[in-house]
Amino acid sequence: QVRLVESGGGLVQAGGSLRLSCAASGRIFSFSGTGWFRQAPGKEREFLAAITLSGGSTNYADSVKGRFTISRDNAKNTVYLQMDSLKPDDTAVYYCAVCSRLLGTQAHQYSNWGQGTQVTVSS
């Protein structure tokens, strides 16, 4: 069983940066990669970025391309999401999950969701 724990969220002013971490334990190598999603109140869970197990390939949603960067350190079993130029619209709970389909963008392609970490961007 894979367990994921997100951390690094918080309150930041518009234009600022945060780095989220997704620490994994268990048989993560049974999956093709890891992704980040977010969910704001009253909205559906939104795909942000995905990375393959090797870290050699990534995929981003248009809404965050150029502002967010996904990376991983397999020695630490951790996937990161560097978020720059944050906007108030980025306010949401951020989740990571493992993917059964290579660089999938749909929530149903993911499993073993973490508990989420809150990101709040003030204007």
Side-chain angles (χ1 to χ4, degrees), residues 78-96:
T78 301
V79 174
Y80 304 98
L81 186 68
Q82 176 68 40
M83 305 187 297
D84 299 318
S85 303
L86 284 163
K87 308 173 184 178
D89 284 350
D90 293 319
T91 296
V93 178
Y94 284 67
Y95 300 90
C96 64

Side-chain angles (χ1 to χ4, degrees), residues 4-120:
L4 303 175
V5 179
E6 303 94 336
S7 61
L11 174 64
V12 64
Q13 289 188 334
S17 298
L18 282 175
R19 188 177 80 157
L20 306 184
S21 298
C22 172
S25 60
R27 298 178 59 85
I28 192 169
F29 295 101
S30 299
F31 298 90
S32 64
T34 304
W36 283 97
F37 286 72
R38 68 186 177 191
Q39 189 164 20
K43 295 187 177 181
E44 293 186 354
R45 195 161 292 193
E46 175 190 10
F47 168 77
L48 300 175
I51 188 168
T52 55
L53 203 57
S54 68
S57 295
T58 58
N59 188 24
Y60 294 92
D62 288 342
S63 59
V64 303
K65 199 173 293 183
R67 297 193 300 126
F68 291 9
T69 303
I70 190 170
S71 62
R72 70 188 306 148
D73 183 341
N74 283 341
K76 296 181 179 179
N77 284 341
T78 301
V79 174
Y80 304 98
L81 186 68
Q82 176 68 40
M83 305 187 297
D84 299 318
S85 303
L86 284 163
K87 308 173 184 178
D89 284 350
D90 293 319
T91 296
V93 178
Y94 284 67
Y95 300 90
C96 64
V98 289
C99 188
S100 58
R101 178 170 179 154
L102 197 64
L103 298 176
T105 63
Q106 305 300 312
H108 68 83
Q109 297 168 327
Y110 288 79
S111 62
N112 303 83
W113 297 85
Q115 83 290 347
T117 185
Q118 176 71 47
V119 171
T120 303

